[in-house]
Amino acid sequence: MAATKNNHKLATYREKRRAGSTPEPFGAATAPGSRFVVQLHAARARHYDFRLEHEGVLVSWAVPKGPSPDPADKRLAVHVEDHPVDYIHFEGLIPEGNYGAGAVVVWDRGRWEPVKDFNEGLKAGKLLFDLHGYKLRGRWTLVKTKRGPKDWLLIKERDSYVREGEAAVLPEDSVLSGRTVEQLAAGEDPGTAIAERCRKLGAAHSRAAFADVQPMLATPGEPFSHPGWVFEIKYDGYRLLAGKEHGEVKLISRNSNDFTGVFPEIAEVLEALPYDDFLLDGEVVVHDSQGLPSFAGLQQRGRLTRAMDIGRAAVQWPATLYAFDLLLFGEYDLRRLPLTERKRLLAELLPTAGPIRLSEHIEGSGEAMFEQLKAMNLEGIVGKRADSIYVGRRSPDWVKVGARSSDDFAVVGYTPPKGRRAGFGALLLAQRGADGWVYAGRVGGGFGERELGKLAERLAAAKDGQPPRDPEQQAGAKWIEPELVVEVQFKHRSPKGRLRQPTFVRLRDDKQPEDCWLPGEEKPLPEKPEPKARAAAVAVNVTNADKVFWPDQGLTKGDLVAYYRAVAPWLLPYLADRPLVLTRYPDGIDGKSFYQKDAPVYAPDWIRLETLWSEGSERDIRYFVIENEEGLAYIANMAAIPLHIWSSRVQSLQHPDWCILDLDPKGAPFKDVVKVARAIHTLCERVELPNLVKTSGSTGLHVLIPLGARYTHEQSRAMAELLANCVVKQLPEIATVERHLDARDGKVYVDYLQNGHGRLLVAPYSVRPVARATVSMPLTWAQVSSRLDMFKYDLRAVPGLLAKQKADPFEALFTGAADLSKSLALLADAV
């Protein structure tokens, strides 16, 4: 196989997440410093690749024995060529015959900070820096030796992260997949052994849907010890059910909110784990500078919405999911197994270190553990019966003991302020009971000025409500609809349920009022909500319908609108949930045109608009997302002729639905375009890649490979590049990957560069602004022959052709999905 150094780097990336509107899992950090990665590489000589991101590249050293946290172990580090930043994600197999052939795992990863100027240190031969990884922490130095021009020493500086003796031996498994480099090289399937253990333990052989699993909840209690119980840390975080369902990554909160895109660093590990179906229960936290859970930090992460901000936060303030239970695995439902057996299986599943960690427990000694955690100012403990099964409700088999006696309450009212205090006097609280809201008392202490101001604004905007059951008389009380949730610390409850010595702790934006239930009461299982319907579209009034857009054919703007109405059932599935980019021709194809991403301010409210951050423009852009025939007619009435769409959907912007090879003749005969397309088709069939073809609507053909939103844009582009090079190698006399027209020498350009975030494709069934009003038409491969006449697919003919057509040749674009790992292995054997 013809391959230059590092060209394999993207082609064998592990699959990332399928679902959720997600940024890059390990996005760029802010200065000073940035990301680092250590990859364990089983090439001809087993070694560790230590890489620091700096000025757009990974400055790299090969460390034969690997980094050591023992300052006495001065490890040789050979300075090697810089690597592309994208390589920070790479874990997989580099096929034989390629540079660096062998298995690679991500041994550690995180953020680094220079202590002194990096460029000066590189020249001087001494680099001092801090690492914030999962295995490597604290201050380190790289010192150049006199042994050779590329020889350095990697040394741990003395600080609290020093480890000596046996403690200096760090685990070898990947922080992403949990596999060792040897397991990856051997192609071991660890899921087989876990499934066999599930069978022997007597787990139910039935596949449960994630949506049917409700979290098990703990009953409040006091510290205790018991030999039949295990005790875990009670974390100050968000409870999440997390895993992969039919290969699709999901992070779901107690309120059924999708957090997959909020915590991409965790979702990436779930995707990298070599199992297609499993469900974990755990709690996600963000640690502060002291290594303790910070709920404030977690809330800041949870409020981020822009992909760029989330990606940076995933590096600067990484989240950790502490997993404490395994509920489903493969074809087995584990919920009826004893807790300790479920936890043993969970320990086999997870990496030793990384963004997902096993929540450890101790047996029997709950009181001693509680006192220790209380001294550390941690949240408390959760005691669990060692033999308990998992039930989707509150159970006495799980007992939570808060080091700070506290609970969550809905705010159902407030009193006016007194004296110099601004905003409000006290919050009036309630919790849910079987018969409605039950008054729990008031809290007026613990507020800082910031909380007073923030809460006062939200209280002023709240809707009027009714008092809860059995309220106390409160002078000047204002009752509101329960919309806010607060955590309140208190000494105990009175016989009537009133809080004694209450103190405000924090606002809980991560919880809903409906989740605030009285102790001992049980929340009923939620019903699945009906999908919300968008407001019905009004009928679009076409303006200037007689204006000629295609002079040679006499076709008008009215003809364009009528065409898009006629093909709407075929076209709309390709526009669904995708940002749309328009090219408008207000004076027809011979007049001036302009490119439009932003929807105009006068766009009607019944058309869906999605605001997305543009890195290139450095601003938010409001994109059209067309959902119905009237929306299609509206943009056609705007004189938008070609409709260009993203390869990814709004819900999963980083994961395209297809990979494209654009065959552009630019002077080459069309018969050569057909020949190249057929060669791509044959190659794809050999390596088991589903593939589809359509006319570009201009002079070329588009070959698309369905991806099912299972891969990143980088992986898609890498696969396209690999296929393009293979076909050009096969047909060098008629095909080229040379981008510049002067260098093509009359050959068909196989363009793989149209794969990437925000890259556009002319939508299937879209009209093109060319003289014959041709259409980008999906075809069957049987139609791609020397007899293919692209010009018969035009604005006039296509509606009639579709009326006779039983099925859409491109239907598999949504139902099919390539297995790139399998195809890459087949491709390595095929070329």
Side-chain angles (χ1 to χ4, degrees):
M1 182 188 302
T4 58
K5 281 186 177 181
N6 300 323
N7 274 356
H8 60 267
K9 65 184 183 298
L10 295 172
T12 52
Y13 278 177
R14 278 205 51 79
E15 297 176 19
K16 298 298 191 297
R17 294 141 293 143
R18 292 187 187 177
S21 177
T22 56
E24 184 182 352
F26 191 54
T30 55
S34 196
R35 301 170 290 181
F36 83 90
V37 66
V38 181
Q39 288 155 315
L40 180 50
H41 190 174
R44 284 180 298 177
R46 188 176 188 270
H47 65 279
Y48 295 74
D49 291 314
F50 182 80
R51 311 186 193 279
L52 302 175
E53 182 182 11
H54 179 64
E55 295 183 349
V57 297
L58 295 176
V59 184
S60 302
W61 288 262
V63 185
K65 292 185 178 181
S68 171
D70 186 345
D73 293 334
K74 298 175 174 61
R75 297 293 169 86
L76 174 65
V78 181
H79 192 195
V80 297
E81 64 177 359
D82 296 343
H83 276 56
V85 171
D86 287 337
Y87 209 82
I88 207 164
H89 300 287
F90 179 69
E91 177 170 309
L93 290 171
I94 303 172
E96 289 297 329
N98 288 270
Y99 175 74
V104 179
V105 297
V106 177
W107 183 80
D108 195 20
R109 201 164 70 173
R111 178 173 57 90
W112 76 280
E113 294 177 299
V115 176
K116 296 182 179 180
D117 184 86
F118 185 84
N119 289 326
E120 291 181 4
L122 201 59
K123 292 177 183 178
K126 181 167 178 147
L127 297 169
L128 195 63
F129 49 89
D130 293 330
L131 297 180
H132 305 273
Y134 296 104
K135 298 177 183 178
L136 304 181
R137 308 278 296 177
R139 186 151 295 178
W140 296 71
T141 186
L142 273 162
V143 182
K144 198 170 185 180
T145 72
K146 297 180 181 179
R147 175 179 170 182
K150 296 184 178 181
D151 291 349
W152 297 60
L153 292 176
L154 177 62
I155 307 169
K156 179 72 185 76
E157 295 288 318
R158 289 206 168 270
D159 57 21
S160 60
Y161 295 103
V162 164
R163 301 289 182 268
E164 297 175 314
E166 291 184 4
V169 180
L170 300 175
E172 292 194 343
D173 61 322
S174 164
V175 295
L176 297 184
S177 67
R179 291 191 287 185
T180 65
V181 72
E182 289 79 13
Q183 289 173 326
L184 181 61
E188 291 184 17
D189 179 10
T192 302
I194 297 177
E196 178 60 17
R197 282 207 56 202
C198 293
R199 184 190 68 80
K200 289 183 177 180
L201 289 169
H205 193 271
S206 62
R207 186 192 292 269
F210 281 20
D212 296 331
V213 177
Q214 297 296 321
M216 184 168 175
L217 304 177
T219 301
E222 298 297 324
F224 69 99
S225 298
H226 196 284
W229 288 66
V230 298
F231 296 90
E232 302 167 352
I233 296 174
K234 184 176 183 290
Y235 294 99
D236 199 7
Y238 293 171
R239 180 82 173 274
L240 294 180
L241 294 178
K244 274 196 291 196
E245 187 169 31
H246 306 300
E248 180 181 343
V249 170
K250 296 181 179 180
L251 280 164
I252 307 299
S253 73
R254 279 180 56 181
N255 300 322
S256 299
N257 293 323
D258 188 349
F259 277 75
T260 311
V262 177
F263 302 110
E265 66 272 44
I266 294 172
E268 184 183 19
V269 176
L270 294 171
E271 184 61 50
L273 289 172
Y275 319 103
D276 286 335
D277 291 275
F278 61 90
L279 182 62
L280 316 174
D281 192 355
E283 194 154 359
V284 64
V285 306
V286 169
H287 296 101
D288 63 17
S289 59
Q290 304 302 313
L292 299 177
S294 167
F295 193 81
L298 182 64
Q299 283 186 311
Q300 289 179 0
R301 282 290 310 269
R303 290 171 183 154
L304 298 177
T305 57
R306 286 182 10 184
M308 181 176 65
D309 295 336
I310 294 173
R312 286 176 176 168
V315 179
Q316 293 286 349
W317 307 286
T320 300
L321 177 65
Y322 286 93
F324 49 71
D325 216 327
L326 178 62
L327 312 182
L328 308 175
F329 184 84
E331 297 290 337
Y332 292 96
D333 187 335
L334 313 182
R335 288 175 289 175
R336 305 293 295 182
L337 292 181
L339 169 68
T340 50
E341 295 295 351
R342 300 197 306 269
K343 289 176 74 71
R344 288 190 187 100
L345 292 168
L346 176 63
E348 293 183 30
L349 195 82
L350 296 179
T352 307
I356 303 181
R357 295 178 58 181
L358 178 67
S359 178
E360 302 285 355
H361 65 265
I362 66 168
E363 298 179 4
S365 304
E367 291 163 304
M369 183 178 180
F370 176 80
E371 291 302 323
Q372 184 176 1
L373 295 181
K374 187 176 180 181
M376 295 171 63
N377 201 31
L378 290 177
E379 189 77 0
I381 63 171
V382 179
K384 301 178 180 180
R385 292 184 67 96
D387 60 354
S388 62
I389 64 172
Y390 192 95
V391 293
R393 61 179 184 274
R394 197 172 301 279
S395 168
D397 287 345
W398 287 15
V399 176
K400 60 180 179 180
V401 184
R404 302 174 300 179
S405 297
S406 65
D407 207 347
D408 298 320
F409 299 85
V411 178
V412 294
Y414 58 94
T415 60
K418 295 181 180 179
R420 297 182 179 180
R421 183 164 177 169
F424 59 90
L427 300 179
L428 307 178
L429 310 174
Q431 290 180 314
R432 291 291 302 274
D435 299 324
W437 291 103
V438 178
Y439 185 68
R442 51 184 280 165
V443 59
F447 301 99
E449 290 186 10
R450 183 178 178 184
E451 286 90 355
L452 277 171
K454 184 188 298 184
L455 281 167
E457 289 180 6
R458 297 181 69 170
L459 293 172
K463 298 178 182 177
D464 292 344
Q466 297 297 319
R469 196 175 71 209
D470 193 25
E472 294 176 336
Q473 294 298 319
Q474 303 287 340
K478 172 75 172 179
W479 300 102
I480 61 175
E481 288 288 329
E483 296 177 355
L484 304 178
V485 175
V486 293
E487 181 182 352
V488 176
Q489 183 178 333
F490 53 94
K491 187 173 183 180
H492 59 83
R493 297 178 191 248
S494 73
K496 288 189 175 183
R498 308 292 192 261
L499 304 184
R500 293 293 181 246
Q501 300 179 21
T503 303
F504 172 82
V505 177
R506 59 186 171 180
L507 183 66
R508 294 294 302 257
D509 283 328
D510 62 309
K511 298 192 74 171
Q512 299 295 323
E514 291 74 17
D515 290 323
C516 299
W517 281 76
L518 286 167
E521 298 279 358
E522 188 171 310
K523 179 181 178 181
L525 295 179
E527 296 182 3
K528 292 184 178 179
E530 294 293 328
K532 294 182 179 179
R534 187 170 293 276
V538 298
V540 171
N541 179 33
V542 180
T543 58
N544 300 317
D546 295 332
K547 193 167 191 176
V548 176
F549 274 16
W550 285 270
D552 291 348
Q553 283 75 34
L555 295 169
T556 65
K557 180 180 177 181
D559 293 323
L560 176 68
V561 175
Y563 167 80
Y564 276 130
R565 283 190 180 278
V567 302
W570 301 83
L571 172 57
L572 286 171
Y574 300 98
L575 306 184
D577 296 322
R578 297 187 197 283
L580 182 66
V581 176
L582 312 178
T583 309
R584 295 174 61 182
Y585 291 78
D587 296 315
I589 66 169
D590 292 339
K592 291 183 179 180
S593 63
F594 60 94
Y595 192 59
Q596 183 168 358
K597 291 183 180 180
D598 259 316
V601 293
Y602 53 80
D605 58 9
W606 54 264
I607 288 186
R608 179 180 171 187
L609 303 177
E610 290 287 347
T611 301
L612 305 175
W613 175 258
S614 169
E615 293 284 358
S617 303
E618 296 187 347
R619 66 182 180 90
D620 286 326
I621 292 178
R622 291 197 317 162
Y623 288 91
F624 280 114
V625 178
I626 301 301
E627 301 177 305
N628 50 46
E629 181 182 322
E630 292 305 317
L632 197 54
Y634 180 86
I635 60 173
N637 188 52
M638 292 173 64
I641 297 179
L643 309 179
H644 286 91
I645 53 176
W646 287 28
S647 59
S648 55
R649 299 175 185 263
V650 171
Q651 302 94 321
S652 53
L653 290 176
Q654 302 304 318
H655 297 82
D657 287 310
W658 58 74
C659 165
I660 179 176
L661 289 174
D662 182 357
L663 307 185
D664 181 6
K666 284 294 192 297
F670 185 65
K671 65 179 179 63
D672 287 352
V673 177
V674 170
K675 188 173 181 180
V676 173
R678 299 293 313 181
I680 295 172
H681 173 58
T682 300
L683 177 60
C684 288
E685 294 295 293
R686 283 182 67 187
V687 299
E688 300 182 16
L689 280 175
N691 54 99
L692 307 167
V693 63
K694 70 180 181 74
T695 68
S696 67
S698 181
T699 57
L701 293 173
H702 294 158
V703 179
L704 277 72
I705 298 167
L707 298 179
R710 296 173 60 181
Y711 304 90
T712 63
H713 291 291
E714 292 84 358
Q715 290 170 298
S716 172
R717 178 164 165 173
M719 174 55 78
E721 180 179 4
L722 194 59
L723 291 172
N725 281 307
C726 288
V727 170
V728 168
K729 182 179 179 182
Q730 180 183 342
L731 301 172
E733 71 284 357
I734 63 170
T736 182
V737 289
E738 288 290 347
R739 195 173 181 189
H740 297 290
L741 188 60
D742 293 342
R744 295 184 195 174
D745 197 24
K747 299 176 183 179
V748 177
Y749 174 42
V750 185
D751 185 359
Y752 59 83
L753 298 174
Q754 300 309 311
N755 297 280
H757 179 79
R759 294 282 185 171
L760 302 175
L761 171 75
V762 62
Y765 307 108
S766 174
V767 186
R768 301 305 298 270
V770 295
R772 299 180 64 171
T774 48
V775 167
S776 182
M777 187 70 177
L779 305 171
T780 65
W781 277 107
Q783 293 173 291
V784 182
S785 69
S786 58
R787 297 187 300 274
L788 175 60
D789 178 9
M790 293 199 303
F791 298 107
K792 78 174 187 178
Y793 303 110
D794 62 19
L795 183 150
R796 284 194 176 109
V798 166
L801 293 172
L802 292 178
K804 300 175 184 178
Q805 196 166 277
K806 294 182 179 179
D808 187 347
F810 255 41
E811 186 176 354
L813 195 62
F814 304 121
T815 59
D819 184 341
L820 293 191
S821 299
K822 180 179 180 181
S823 295
L824 281 167
L826 293 171
L827 190 60
D829 296 333
V831 298

